[in-house]
Amino acid sequence: MTDPSTQRLSAIGGEFIDSERERAFQAERMPETVRHLRLLFLLSALLNTLFFISDWRFYGQPHFLVAFPARAVVVAVSLGCWLAISRVATFRQAQATMLVWQWVTALAVGALVSSHSDLALFVVVMLPSIYYLVVPNPFRWTVISGAGCSILMLVGYLSGDDTRATATGLVLAVLVLNFALVLVVTRSNRLRRLEWAATQAERRAKEELTRSRAMFERLFRTVPLPLVVVKTDGGILDTNDAAVTFFGANRDVLGIRSVDEIYIHPEDRVDLITALKREGRVNDFETMVRLADGSIRNVLVAATLVEVEGADAVISAVIDITDRKAAEERIWRAASHDPLTDLPNRALFQSRFELALADANHTGNTLTLFLIDLDDFKAINDTRGHDAGDALLQEMAERLRRMMRDEDTVARLGGDEFVVIVGPPLRMEHAGALANRILDEMRRPFVFKGEPIESGASIGIAVYPDHDSKPAELMKDADLALYSAKAQGRNRAVLFSPDMRNLVEHRATMTRDIQEALQEGQIVPFYQPKVNLVTGEVIGFEALARWDHPQQGLLSPSAFPLAFNDPELSALMGEHIVRQVAADIRRWLDQGVKCGRVAVNLSTSQFSWIGLSRRFLDILEAAGVPPHYLDVEITETVFLGRASVHVMTALQQFHEHGIRIALDDFGTGYASLIHLKQFPVDDIKIDQSFIRDVDRDSESAAIVVAVIDLGKSLCMDVIAEGVETVEQALFLRDHGCPFVQGNLYSLPLRAEAVVEYLGRERLRLPDPAPSSA
Ligand code: C2E
Ligand code: MG
Ligand code: MG
């Protein structure tokens, strides 16, 4: 860019004030100046040669002697300058040549015009014009030599004696002429310089344009960002190397293809063009394109409307964001999905649930929530390992996903808890049927590493708007229904009902109370003796839990069944009782009291506590009680539970350590006799319901006799429970039952009362009548 101050022209002379610029102007015009001067000098030489003809009229006159040499000098100097000018290299040298020619010709012409001929007058007036207008001197020298030469020639002309009359007029005419010529030169200089400056500016602009075009072209070609120039009708005008590489096609293929073929969703292009027409440019238009190899990429398009050859076109930069989108998707999935099952996690479920509820609220549709909890999942994890647990969770997730529609939501809330949201047309009346189908699906056998894993679930169902309308409330309802399903023995679906809230509240209070009672030591074992029917000897005791309730007095297990049914409470309870039993046995042993073996009862729930047998053995060891002082009593139901795999493990461990196992309440359950063979059972306890009428009811008697015989044949000890009368005891003794337990001998006793009881005189049955045989 040229500094505007260098463009300024002087008011007089019309030359650039900036000498550098003036020099540049002259230098640039040098060839032309030289050409012009050569022509001037040549013409001067030729014309002056011709003027010899005119000068010939003075032949014989004295003026001839002046004219002839003067003319010869002009011709000679013109030829000399003509020759010299071809050799000059700088404007200064050219200027010197001009000045030499000018002054010499002026001197010569000054001599020539002393003839005062009409021609002389014409020359005096004309020649200054040539000096001013034809000789391209700098302004200063144009004026100096123009005026100087005018004076020289005027002096020459006026040197005669008959010119006095016109001298003043002539001087004034020459003066006017000089002034006029100065003005003309000034104007001409100005115009030429302005024109030159304009041409230069134009040339510079053109160069600039060419340079920037070349730069743009280079940039367009080499920038590593795919660029595509497209007509608004979709025809591709140009692409850069990066675009060719990106789209994976050769330039020609890309050249003939309409850009419509690239878009996965052609309507995206329509949207892009609309936005471009509205805004002129679009910075971050997201779309999907297909590459030549058929692969699909996510791209961000930044586009601008441009004009190419008078028509609208779009230049688009294409940024491949496939990897970024994939990373975003991965991050989103990681944040919103469960990594194990790939189901939505609690957070995503929560937002989908809220949306679904808002939608149902809007449309008046129903929404059903199924809260699913796998039964005994912890046991599977503990016995079969976490691999098996994980595989089971994945399998269950897959089954749920398969059986639900795309519009339903299946999520994993954590642990073994899943949730399903089902929209219309499902209504509350049919929710149970769907829940049962889910249960069937979850019960289907699952094989892991060649071994079947028994699976099952409990389901709580809550329905919008029938049960509640707020997400948190509905979730709570489903939770209560699930809780109820678990409490009812699991493996079932339960529909929420409002009274569950009270039940659950009651259960929660009870749980808290039992926990407190355990901590306070209010739950203690009472001991009921087991007696040898023949000898009357106490063979051991059964420990029975009692709650020494501060307000309600002594409570039997039937008043707080939760302590034995709830998986967590029963584990606490088991440990608590065994610890006290072990301490009591140790004390009795230390006192030298023969307490025999002491039995503790184990409920089905307690078997879901995996380390059960190990824990018991540890407690005995810590108390210093040999294991064979302990018995365990189990009911037939423990064989039927789903934890039967580890029931077997626990019983075997007990058995191996000399802990006897008694099958309690025999005859009331549904266990098959096979279990007596399968499991290491040592004793059978006949349930008190058969004993109650044994001496009066033949059916009870027949059952009792059969069980006694069964025990004998299986080499198991048989103990009759609930013996209250001597008649019952006699019947049992007479039918070969070796042991009894019941209020006839003693009510369950506090530990402190045991020693006293053992020392006391005990009931002796009358001797049996001698056999008639
Ligand atoms: P069970 O193991 O069959 O215990 C025998 C039950 O019969 C005891 O009831 C006992 O007091 C009662 N009983 C004993 N002799 C007679 C009698 O002559 N007549 C009558 N009518 N009843 C008699 P209790 O103590 O109420 O225990 C009930 C059940 O609670 C027990 O039945 C046992 O299954 C369970 N239980 C008691 N303590 C514990 C414990 O510490 N852990 C576990 N898991 N269960 C326990
Ligand atoms: Mg018992
Ligand atoms: Mg019993």
Side-chain angles (χ1 to χ4, degrees):
M1 191 78 188
T2 317
D3 178 0
S5 68
T6 63
Q7 303 274 36
R8 280 214 306 276
L9 300 173
S10 60
I12 298 170
E15 290 182 334
F16 289 112
I17 293 172
D18 180 62
S19 55
E20 278 293 316
R21 190 145 175 77
E22 181 62 26
R23 253 199 302 282
F25 170 73
Q26 296 292 12
E28 204 190 286
R29 298 166 63 85
M30 215 13 217
E32 198 214 311
T33 306
V34 168
R35 213 171 24 251
H36 173 80
L37 288 173
R38 283 183 63 182
L39 199 61
L40 174 71
F41 298 147
L42 191 62
L43 276 174
S44 165
L46 282 174
L47 288 173
N48 280 288
T49 307
L50 286 177
F51 269 108
F52 276 122
I53 300 168
S54 167
D55 292 338
W56 206 253
R57 70 182 191 276
F58 301 115
Y59 186 69
Q61 296 174 22
H63 184 66
F64 186 75
L65 294 176
V66 176
F68 189 80
R71 189 67 74 189
V73 166
V74 171
V75 171
V77 88
S78 296
L79 281 174
C81 287
W82 178 70
L83 288 172
I85 198 69
S86 303
R87 288 174 182 78
V88 300
T90 64
F91 183 75
R92 271 185 171 282
Q93 291 168 342
Q95 187 188 325
T97 319
M98 284 183 265
L99 290 175
V100 167
W101 176 80
Q102 213 174 331
W103 283 96
V104 173
T105 51
L107 265 172
V109 172
L112 276 167
V113 295
S114 62
S115 67
H116 306 134
S117 64
D118 293 346
L119 194 62
L121 182 63
F122 174 73
V123 168
V124 168
V125 177
M126 183 210 60
L127 210 53
S129 309
I130 291 176
Y131 291 157
Y132 273 97
L133 302 179
V134 182
V135 183
N137 258 324
F139 179 71
R140 188 157 33 112
W141 286 106
T142 300
V143 175
I144 292 170
S145 27
C149 292
S150 288
I151 293 164
L152 262 183
M153 286 184 293
L154 198 59
V155 169
Y157 185 78
L158 296 178
S159 60
D161 38 36
D162 56 344
T163 52
R164 249 172 240 154
T166 56
T168 314
L170 195 60
V171 168
L172 287 173
V174 168
L175 202 63
V176 168
L177 179 70
N178 270 275
F179 272 117
L181 286 171
V182 165
L183 289 180
V184 170
V185 168
T186 300
R187 188 175 142 72
S188 153
N189 277 350
R190 283 187 74 85
L191 288 176
R192 280 201 336 249
R193 278 161 182 77
L194 286 174
E195 191 184 36
W196 180 76
T199 321
Q200 266 216 329
E202 189 185 317
R203 199 174 59 210
R204 257 200 315 276
K206 267 190 189 147
E207 279 170 8
E208 201 66 47
L209 192 71
T210 315
R211 230 185 353 261
S212 67
R213 236 189 222 155
M215 200 169 76
F216 173 76
E217 181 70 20
R218 225 175 23 248
L219 199 74
F220 179 81
R221 293 277 157 241
T222 56
V223 71
L225 188 70
L227 296 172
V228 184
V229 187
V230 183
K231 286 191 275 189
T232 44
D233 68 3
I236 297 176
L237 288 171
D238 203 359
T239 53
N240 69 352
D241 297 349
V244 172
T245 313
F246 175 66
F247 287 103
N250 66 50
R251 193 178 294 279
D252 294 339
V253 170
L254 208 61
I256 53 159
R257 246 178 21 180
S258 162
V259 79
D260 281 331
E261 292 169 40
I262 298 176
Y263 280 85
I264 299 293
H265 308 294
E267 63 276 12
D268 279 4
R269 208 180 85 78
V270 178
D271 293 347
L272 176 67
I273 298 288
T274 313
L276 271 175
K277 286 193 170 148
R278 197 176 53 236
E279 318 269 338
R281 59 182 296 171
V282 170
N283 281 335
D284 43 14
F285 187 84
E286 219 180 295
T287 184
M288 286 160 88
V289 293
R290 185 182 289 107
L291 308 185
D293 64 2
S295 62
I296 292 170
R297 310 293 289 176
N298 292 93
V299 294
L300 206 64
V301 177
T304 316
L305 266 187
V306 288
E307 211 184 275
V308 177
E309 288 158 8
D312 272 351
V314 179
I315 177 162
S316 307
V318 183
I319 302 161
D320 186 356
I321 54 166
T322 315
D323 294 344
R324 194 184 85 190
K325 285 210 61 109
E328 277 172 8
E329 164 81 12
R330 273 199 301 278
I331 291 167
W332 176 79
R333 277 204 93 75
S336 62
H337 283 71
D338 163 46
L340 181 68
T341 60
D342 203 34
L343 287 180
N345 63 12
R346 185 181 284 274
L348 182 58
F349 157 75
Q350 196 62 37
S351 64
R352 284 206 190 156
F353 185 34
E354 282 166 21
L355 274 178
L357 270 181
D359 187 57
N361 185 21
H362 186 68
T363 53
N365 284 326
T366 59
L367 211 63
T368 312
L369 195 66
F370 296 88
L371 195 58
I372 305 165
D373 192 283
L374 301 189
D375 292 338
D376 289 332
F377 177 71
K378 187 178 174 316
I380 291 162
N381 239 349
D382 291 342
T383 53
R384 303 287 300 269
H386 284 260
D387 283 2
D390 286 355
L392 181 71
L393 287 172
Q394 283 169 329
E395 174 68 16
M396 293 300 138
E398 190 47 39
R399 287 183 191 178
L400 282 172
R401 202 173 3 222
R402 263 204 311 264
M403 72 179 298
M404 292 300 155
R405 303 168 302 174
D406 285 349
E407 59 267 39
D408 302 329
T409 292
V410 179
R412 182 184 172 205
L413 296 181
D416 58 351
E417 213 174 41
F418 295 90
V419 66
V420 177
I421 314 171
V422 181
L426 185 71
R427 304 194 67 84
M428 190 161 79
E429 307 83 85
H430 307 116
L434 177 57
N436 284 329
R437 271 187 27 231
I438 297 176
L439 286 178
D440 287 346
E441 191 61 18
M442 311 215 85
R443 274 194 290 255
R444 257 193 320 112
F446 169 59
V447 177
F448 179 71
K449 291 191 179 158
E451 295 263 332
I453 295 181
E454 280 184 65
S455 60
S458 303
I459 303 182
I461 311 165
V463 182
Y464 168 88
D466 309 62
H467 296 143
D468 252 308
S469 56
K470 291 206 180 72
E473 297 304 315
L474 266 173
M475 200 62 194
K476 227 182 267 169
D477 296 347
D479 213 25
L480 288 177
L482 176 64
Y483 193 84
S484 167
K486 293 270 181 196
Q488 286 176 39
R490 310 174 172 201
N491 197 15
R492 69 197 65 215
V494 172
L495 186 69
F496 170 78
S497 77
D499 58 352
M500 279 175 188
R501 292 200 182 110
N502 304 333
L503 278 174
V504 168
E505 257 163 44
H506 173 73
R507 202 178 158 114
T509 319
M510 199 66 192
T511 305
R512 210 175 39 243
D513 289 354
I514 293 170
Q515 280 168 339
E516 268 173 31
L518 283 169
Q519 277 167 11
E520 302 285 320
Q522 292 169 7
I523 294 175
V524 290
F526 271 49
Y527 296 94
Q528 187 172 41
K530 295 177 182 178
V531 178
N532 183 319
L533 256 185
V534 181
T535 63
E537 186 194 355
V538 174
I539 58 150
F541 291 87
E542 177 177 7
L544 295 161
R546 292 289 178 272
W547 184 349
D548 227 340
H549 200 284
Q551 283 88 39
Q552 299 170 38
L554 206 57
L555 299 179
S556 289
S558 58
F560 55 106
L562 195 62
F564 309 98
N565 301 335
D566 182 87
E568 271 145 49
L569 278 181
S570 71
L572 288 176
M573 180 65 105
E575 183 160 347
H576 180 82
I577 294 288
V578 168
R579 215 180 271 285
Q580 295 187 69
V581 167
D584 289 338
I585 298 175
R586 186 64 256 164
R587 205 176 51 252
W588 294 327
L589 292 178
D590 291 345
Q591 291 170 1
V593 175
K594 287 196 175 140
C595 59
R597 311 172 67 101
V598 182
V600 292
N601 291 280
L602 285 178
S603 64
T604 312
S605 291
Q606 282 169 306
F607 277 92
S608 49
W609 180 24
I610 296 306
L612 172 82
S613 43
R614 188 66 262 157
R615 191 88 195 100
F616 274 28
L617 290 166
D618 288 348
I619 291 169
L620 290 174
E621 197 184 339
V625 174
H628 66 262
Y629 277 99
L630 194 78
D631 285 357
V632 294
E633 295 189 7
I634 53 170
T635 58
E636 293 157 303
T637 48
V638 302
F639 302 139
L640 305 174
R642 295 203 314 108
S644 58
V645 182
H646 37 275
V647 166
M648 176 61 113
T649 319
L651 294 184
Q652 264 165 355
Q653 204 171 8
F654 282 139
H655 195 70
E656 279 161 19
H657 286 82
I659 295 175
R660 288 179 75 91
I661 292 139
L663 195 54
D664 210 349
D665 304 345
F666 190 78
T668 56
Y670 302 95
S672 116
L673 289 177
I674 277 279
H675 290 125
L676 288 179
K677 229 179 94 187
Q678 272 179 350
F679 291 88
V681 176
D682 302 295
D683 308 326
I684 299 173
K685 292 185 82 176
I686 308 172
D687 189 66
Q688 51 179 279
S689 57
F690 303 111
I691 305 301
R692 200 171 296 129
D693 300 321
V694 76
D695 50 335
R696 285 166 296 173
D697 175 54
S698 58
E699 271 182 25
S700 293
I703 291 171
V704 169
V705 171
V707 175
I708 295 168
D709 289 346
L710 180 73
K712 272 187 199 150
S713 45
L714 291 176
C715 297
M716 292 174 181
D717 282 345
V718 176
I719 304 162
E721 287 187 292
V723 178
E724 292 177 343
T725 64
V726 174
E727 289 73 26
Q728 290 164 349
L730 284 173
F731 177 92
L732 290 163
R733 188 191 64 183
D734 294 346
H735 287 86
C737 176
F739 307 110
V740 287
Q741 180 187 340
N743 295 348
L744 177 66
Y745 290 91
S746 170
L747 288 168
L749 303 163
R750 281 188 190 274
E752 303 81 60
V754 166
V755 180
E756 192 262 325
Y757 170 79
L758 286 173
R760 207 197 300 158
E761 182 70 19
R762 283 188 300 277
L763 170 85
R764 281 195 67 90
L765 290 178
D767 286 338
S771 151
S772 55

